[in-house]
Amino acid sequence: SYELTQPPSVSVSPGQTARITCSGDALPQKYAYWYQQKSGQAPVLVIYEDNKRPSGIPERFSGSSSGTMATLTISGAQVGDEADYYCYSSDSSGNYVFGTGTKVTVL
Amino acid sequence: QVQLVQSGSELKKPGASVKVSCKASGYTFTTYAMNWVRQAPGQGPEWMGWINTNTGNPTYARDFTGRFVFSLDTSVSTAYLQISSLKAEDTAVYYCARGDLSEVRGVMSYWGQGTLVTVSS
């Protein structure tokens, strides 16, 4: 089955830039989406269609995609950005999958 | 405002069935796709599939065929997830999540609060 691979963890100091990668064979043809999930809460969409930001999401969140890798960037990370982040995309058959997840620590 | 309110936690024995509800408000129910997502304890979320709220046609992800059924009652703007022949590994939080189009894509803009289903003898 299709897999989206992410690093298990990323750690940055407040104000630094956090970059989370997501690797998947279908990403050259399929959009990447990114969800943030804080402990005990439902996921929240922070990036859609590779690089678009939903209303209400801070500008420090940005996305890009090139080849088989998509990247979520948090510029000037804040303590409040600590969460698990999941990329999300589909395979060639239209089945959607979440990535393996990345725990972001800001300290 | 858009709200998705799910039914409460369930404790079931192996082999039993469970039906989780997701009541929508604040928008026209039949306009947007409804996704279902499972999250086992300490694990990442899994997309279970989606249902076209206009036609009632469900689509199941590969790992969620056979024991899982999506249904609707449009008269009360509610989507349902039924799971039969429950197993211990079905223990998870189940979320409904609304798309932003009538057909599924990667956007899930609004989420229910989640329903914990625990399967234990």
XYZ file of all heavy atoms in Angstrom, chain B residues 31-67:
299
model
N -24.286 19.234 0.521
C -23.391 19.958 -0.379
C -21.954 19.445 -0.334
O -21.228 19.534 -1.327
C -23.402 21.458 -0.044
O -24.733 21.947 -0.169
C -22.480 22.238 -0.968
N -21.553 18.922 0.798
C -20.140 18.596 1.002
C -19.917 17.127 1.359
O -20.698 16.533 2.105
C -19.557 19.462 2.122
C -19.658 20.943 1.854
C -20.658 21.705 2.460
C -18.763 21.577 0.995
C -20.751 23.055 2.206
C -18.861 22.929 0.738
C -19.865 23.660 1.348
O -19.967 25.005 1.094
N -18.804 16.582 0.849
C -18.422 15.215 1.178
C -18.157 15.063 2.680
O -17.731 16.007 3.348
C -17.157 14.837 0.411
N -18.407 13.865 3.182
C -18.090 13.559 4.583
C -17.096 12.412 4.636
O -17.330 11.339 4.062
C -19.348 13.186 5.360
C -19.103 13.089 6.862
S -18.778 14.689 7.610
C -20.441 15.353 7.693
N -15.989 12.679 5.293
C -14.946 11.670 5.470
C -15.056 11.032 6.847
O -15.594 11.627 7.781
C -13.558 12.332 5.386
C -13.273 12.948 4.046
O -12.707 12.325 3.158
N -13.648 14.211 3.877
N -14.506 9.834 6.966
C -14.346 9.190 8.263
C -12.876 8.851 8.462
O -12.219 8.359 7.538
C -15.198 7.932 8.368
C -16.665 8.233 8.494
C -17.585 8.302 7.490
C -17.377 8.537 9.708
N -18.821 8.628 7.997
C -18.726 8.767 9.360
C -17.010 8.622 11.057
C -19.705 9.084 10.296
C -17.972 8.935 11.988
C -19.304 9.165 11.619
N -12.381 9.122 9.676
C -10.970 8.947 10.005
C -10.866 8.191 11.324
O -11.591 8.495 12.269
C -10.267 10.319 10.133
C -8.831 10.153 10.623
C -10.299 11.063 8.798
N -9.985 7.222 11.365
C -9.770 6.445 12.598
C -8.396 6.776 13.174
O -7.422 6.960 12.430
C -9.827 4.943 12.290
C -9.597 4.058 13.505
C -9.854 2.598 13.178
N -8.705 1.946 12.581
C -8.674 0.646 12.325
N -9.736 -0.115 12.585
N -7.609 0.111 11.769
N -8.314 6.841 14.474
C -7.029 7.055 15.132
C -6.932 6.159 16.351
O -7.595 6.398 17.365
C -6.827 8.523 15.520
C -5.415 8.818 16.000
C -5.113 10.302 16.011
O -6.004 11.141 16.161
N -3.845 10.655 15.864
N -6.122 5.128 16.231
C -5.901 4.204 17.342
C -5.029 4.889 18.409
O -4.295 5.840 18.098
C -5.238 2.936 16.834
N -5.098 4.409 19.636
C -4.330 5.048 20.729
C -2.838 5.139 20.408
O -2.216 4.140 20.046
C -4.584 4.122 21.921
C -5.875 3.455 21.608
C -5.923 3.312 20.128
N -2.301 6.340 20.485
C -0.875 6.546 20.264
C -0.423 6.436 18.826
O 0.786 6.482 18.543
N -1.371 6.305 17.908
C -1.044 6.150 16.486
C -1.490 7.358 15.683
O -2.218 8.225 16.184
C -1.729 4.891 15.929
C -1.391 3.611 16.673
C 0.082 3.294 16.598
O 0.681 3.305 15.520
N 0.681 3.011 17.755
N -1.069 7.412 14.433
C -1.505 8.473 13.546
C -2.891 8.192 12.998
O -3.413 7.078 13.128
N -3.502 9.200 12.401
C -4.825 8.996 11.831
C -4.773 8.153 10.554
O -3.744 8.094 9.885
C -5.302 10.424 11.527
C -4.081 11.260 11.485
C -3.032 10.589 12.291
N -5.898 7.498 10.273
C -6.055 6.706 9.042
C -7.349 7.141 8.356
O -8.394 7.212 9.010
C -6.184 5.220 9.364
C -5.022 4.582 10.054
C -5.387 3.143 10.424
O -5.148 2.229 9.588
O -5.935 2.946 11.521
N -7.269 7.395 7.083
C -8.468 7.724 6.322
C -9.238 6.442 6.038
O -8.703 5.507 5.439
C -8.071 8.415 5.026
C -9.188 8.858 4.167
C -10.047 9.893 4.414
C -9.569 8.323 2.902
N -10.936 10.025 3.369
C -10.667 9.073 2.436
C -9.088 7.272 2.107
C -11.289 8.824 1.211
C -9.697 7.016 0.888
C -10.788 7.778 0.451
N -10.501 6.409 6.453
C -11.327 5.219 6.271
C -12.107 5.257 4.965
O -12.512 4.216 4.446
C -12.319 5.090 7.425
C -11.683 5.004 8.791
S -12.916 5.018 10.096
C -13.737 3.451 9.811
N -12.346 6.471 4.453
C -13.132 6.617 3.246
C -14.050 7.819 3.375
O -13.908 8.638 4.278
N -15.003 7.886 2.440
C -15.906 9.028 2.441
C -17.255 8.644 1.858
O -17.412 7.582 1.267
C -15.300 10.184 1.648
C -15.259 9.969 0.156
C -14.420 9.116 -0.529
C -16.074 10.616 -0.818
N -14.678 9.199 -1.877
C -15.679 10.114 -2.085
C -17.089 11.574 -0.763
C -16.257 10.544 -3.262
C -17.667 12.009 -1.946
C -17.248 11.496 -3.173
N -18.231 9.512 2.089
C -19.543 9.290 1.534
C -20.005 10.567 0.843
O -19.825 11.675 1.367
C -20.558 8.816 2.599
C -21.906 8.450 1.952
C -20.714 9.822 3.735
C -22.818 7.645 2.864
N -20.539 10.397 -0.350
C -21.126 11.514 -1.085
C -22.484 11.806 -0.456
O -23.408 10.993 -0.551
C -21.259 11.134 -2.560
C -21.753 12.282 -3.421
O -22.689 12.984 -3.050
N -21.111 12.471 -4.559
N -22.617 12.942 0.185
C -23.835 13.242 0.942
C -25.000 13.611 0.030
O -26.137 13.699 0.491
C -23.586 14.384 1.940
O -23.075 15.510 1.216
C -22.616 13.961 3.018
N -24.725 13.794 -1.246
C -25.793 14.089 -2.200
C -26.391 12.806 -2.772
O -27.616 12.666 -2.877
C -25.255 14.958 -3.327
C -26.361 15.455 -4.259
O -27.440 15.831 -3.813
N -26.093 15.449 -5.547
N -25.522 11.861 -3.100
C -25.983 10.603 -3.704
C -26.065 9.455 -2.710
O -26.714 8.452 -2.982
C -25.041 10.177 -4.834
O -23.760 9.873 -4.267
C -24.880 11.291 -5.864
N -25.374 9.583 -1.592
C -25.309 8.490 -0.617
C -24.292 7.424 -0.981
O -24.202 6.394 -0.299
N -23.517 7.642 -2.034
C -22.560 6.634 -2.471
C -21.314 6.646 -1.584
O -20.626 7.653 -1.486
C -22.147 6.906 -3.916
C -21.213 5.842 -4.447
O -21.459 4.648 -4.269
N -20.120 6.252 -5.076
N -21.004 5.514 -0.929
C -19.809 5.452 -0.081
C -18.599 4.928 -0.850
O -18.745 4.139 -1.791
C -20.209 4.464 1.004
C -21.112 3.505 0.284
C -21.807 4.296 -0.794
N -17.429 5.354 -0.442
C -16.172 4.816 -0.955
C -15.308 4.465 0.247
O -15.107 5.303 1.122
C -15.445 5.857 -1.824
O -16.261 6.192 -2.946
C -14.108 5.305 -2.303
N -14.825 3.226 0.272
C -14.059 2.742 1.411
C -12.585 2.617 1.044
O -12.243 2.115 -0.031
C -14.608 1.390 1.877
C -16.068 1.458 2.277
C -17.072 1.097 1.381
C -16.439 1.906 3.544
C -18.410 1.185 1.724
C -17.778 1.999 3.900
C -18.757 1.647 2.981
O -20.079 1.745 3.326
N -11.724 3.033 1.966
C -10.292 2.798 1.796
C -10.021 1.296 1.853
O -10.818 0.525 2.401
C -9.516 3.529 2.885
N -8.876 0.912 1.295
C -8.564 -0.520 1.154
C -8.676 -1.305 2.458
O -9.169 -2.424 2.488
C -7.142 -0.680 0.614
C -7.028 -0.485 -0.854
C -5.676 -0.960 -1.366
N -5.383 -0.295 -2.630
C -4.694 0.818 -2.736
N -4.190 1.405 -1.661
N -4.489 1.375 -3.910
N -8.235 -0.723 3.542
C -8.210 -1.445 4.820
C -9.542 -1.402 5.556
O -9.657 -1.940 6.657
C -7.125 -0.864 5.731
C -5.724 -1.164 5.221
O -5.575 -2.061 4.363
O -4.780 -0.489 5.668
N -10.547 -0.796 4.945
C -11.827 -0.608 5.637
C -12.992 -1.106 4.779
O -14.034 -0.454 4.672
C -12.001 0.861 6.015
C -10.984 1.324 7.025
C -9.817 1.956 6.618
C -11.173 1.093 8.379
C -8.856 2.354 7.544
C -10.230 1.497 9.309
C -9.067 2.126 8.887
N -12.806 -2.241 4.195
C -13.888 -2.873 3.435
C -14.422 -4.049 4.234
O -13.698 -4.677 5.016
C -13.386 -3.357 2.074
O -12.305 -4.282 2.282
C -12.878 -2.204 1.226
N -15.696 -4.331 4.042
C -16.300 -5.519 4.644
C -17.073 -5.255 5.928
O -18.282 -5.448 5.973
N -16.407 -4.803 6.962
C -17.068 -4.643 8.271
C -17.514 -3.203 8.542
O -18.144 -2.949 9.580
C -16.133 -5.075 9.393
C -15.712 -6.534 9.331
C -14.942 -6.928 10.579
N -13.682 -6.174 10.726
C -13.424 -5.330 11.720
N -14.322 -5.098 12.666
N -12.256 -4.707 11.785
